Amino acid sequence: MLLVVAIIIVPLLILLGIKVQNFLAGYFPIVEKIPTGIVFLAFCYPIYALYESFNAAVIFNKGNLQLKKRQ
């Protein structure tokens, strides 16, 4: 399930980063010289953080990640 979501979401996040960079380059030409990853982290990180929190919740709820019990 997580792999299918990752196959769909990751390219969308990359596309979103490129679109934001192109949009900002229209107003600020210096943005074209900045790597897309940095632009993505600066402007799209909250969306990525929501995606990662969803993945963490799924892994935790499925039981793949369990806390150790004290003895």
Side-chain angles (χ1 to χ4, degrees):
M1 171 70 180
L2 288 178
L3 186 59
V4 173
V5 172
I7 290 172
I8 295 169
I9 295 295
V10 170
L12 289 176
L13 291 173
I14 293 170
L15 181 66
L16 179 64
I18 292 170
K19 293 289 185 181
V20 168
Q21 185 176 19
N22 288 338
F23 176 75
L24 291 175
Y27 296 102
F28 307 105
I30 197 165
V31 175
E32 287 182 21
K33 298 177 183 177
I34 299 173
T36 305
I38 294 172
V39 173
F40 176 81
L41 287 175
F43 296 99
C44 304
Y45 186 75
I47 297 169
Y48 177 71
L50 288 173
Y51 166 71
E52 284 299 322
S53 66
F54 169 76
N55 280 343
V58 168
I59 289 172
F60 188 77
N61 290 334
K62 285 180 85 175
N64 294 337
L65 179 66
Q66 297 178 354
L67 300 174
K68 293 182 179 180
K69 294 181 182 179
R70 291 186 179 182
Q71 293 181 1

